[in-house]
Amino acid sequence: MAEAIAPVKATRPKVLLVDDVEANLIAFEAQLSKLDCELIRARSGNEALRALLKHSFAVMLLDVQMPEMDGYEVARYARENPQTRDVPIIFVTAMHQTEANALKGYGAGPVDFLFKPTNPEVLLSKVSIFLDLHASRQKLADAHETHQSTLAELEAFNYSVSHDLRAQLR
């Protein structure tokens, strides 16, 4: 009799929202509420780094101008840690849009910049892309794990058959 396989409960992808201003976090949540994802808030750079170590995120929306640790520093720390270096970062800032600010920002490792106030359609589009990418990576990782498991089973079967055949020949 075949063993029943329990269905794997898919977890919703997570988006990290980092801003020290409560109103901005509420605005992000309202703009992203249409997406099938879990929104996790962080109100400081340190809180964001702790969340990055605790969860796997599809993308992080990171305010640049925060007290104590600004977004550039958070991004640098995230990029230095092997566990968090691949989380895509979108800087969201109220800073004046200049080439110098953009170059400084891109040097910290984000994939994009958005300027406040954010356009809801643009924000939704950009976050959706990273949610889709995250889902594709997860499917690929799951398929790879399944193939590795199947390969291990075939190798065990091959060893068993080979052993039995050698025993018959002896």
Side-chain angles (χ1 to χ4, degrees), residues 42-95:
R43 295 199 50 155
S44 70
N46 283 322
E47 200 176 318
L49 292 172
R50 281 193 298 276
L52 283 169
L53 293 173
K54 196 178 204 183
H55 304 283
S56 173
F57 289 99
V59 64
M60 172 172 45
L61 300 178
L62 178 59
D63 182 29
V64 173
Q65 296 174 303
M66 293 186 295
E68 296 175 30
M69 183 186 310
D70 67 19
Y72 299 130
E73 191 174 0
V74 173
R76 278 193 298 277
Y77 282 130
R79 292 292 175 250
E80 289 172 1
N81 187 324
Q83 186 178 340
T84 61
R85 78 169 40 127
D86 294 328
V87 176
I89 299 169
I90 299 175
F91 277 145
V92 184
T93 183
M95 288 175 30

Side-chain angles (χ1 to χ4, degrees), residues 10-162:
T11 59
R12 293 182 340 158
K14 295 175 178 63
V15 176
L16 181 57
L17 309 173
V18 186
D19 202 305
D20 60 313
V21 177
E22 182 72 16
N24 292 338
L25 293 170
I26 291 169
F28 286 147
E29 287 176 339
Q31 292 174 11
L32 299 174
S33 64
K34 297 175 186 169
L35 300 176
D36 184 25
C37 64
E38 183 179 347
L39 302 173
I40 296 180
R41 292 175 170 206
R43 295 199 50 155
S44 70
N46 283 322
E47 200 176 318
L49 292 172
R50 281 193 298 276
L52 283 169
L53 293 173
K54 196 178 204 183
H55 304 283
S56 173
F57 289 99
V59 64
M60 172 172 45
L61 300 178
L62 178 59
D63 182 29
V64 173
Q65 296 174 303
M66 293 186 295
E68 296 175 30
M69 183 186 310
D70 67 19
Y72 299 130
E73 191 174 0
V74 173
R76 278 193 298 277
Y77 282 130
R79 292 292 175 250
E80 289 172 1
N81 187 324
Q83 186 178 340
T84 61
R85 78 169 40 127
D86 294 328
V87 176
I89 299 169
I90 299 175
F91 277 145
V92 184
T93 183
M95 288 175 30
H96 184 64
Q97 188 173 351
T98 66
E99 188 173 340
N101 286 339
L103 290 174
K104 179 180 180 185
Y106 281 118
V111 295
D112 206 351
F113 261 93
L114 289 175
F115 292 91
K116 296 176 186 173
T118 57
N119 178 314
E121 288 87 26
V122 171
L123 181 65
L124 271 173
S125 176
K126 289 179 185 274
V127 172
S128 292
I129 288 168
F130 288 106
L131 291 172
D132 291 346
L133 182 60
H134 182 76
S136 296
R137 285 183 175 167
Q138 190 60 52
K139 284 180 188 173
L140 184 60
D142 292 346
H144 182 262
E145 187 176 316
T146 299
H147 291 310
Q148 290 293 97
S149 176
T150 302
L151 183 60
E153 290 173 13
L154 286 171
E155 287 174 353
F157 176 75
N158 188 26
Y159 175 80
S160 175
V161 169
S162 174

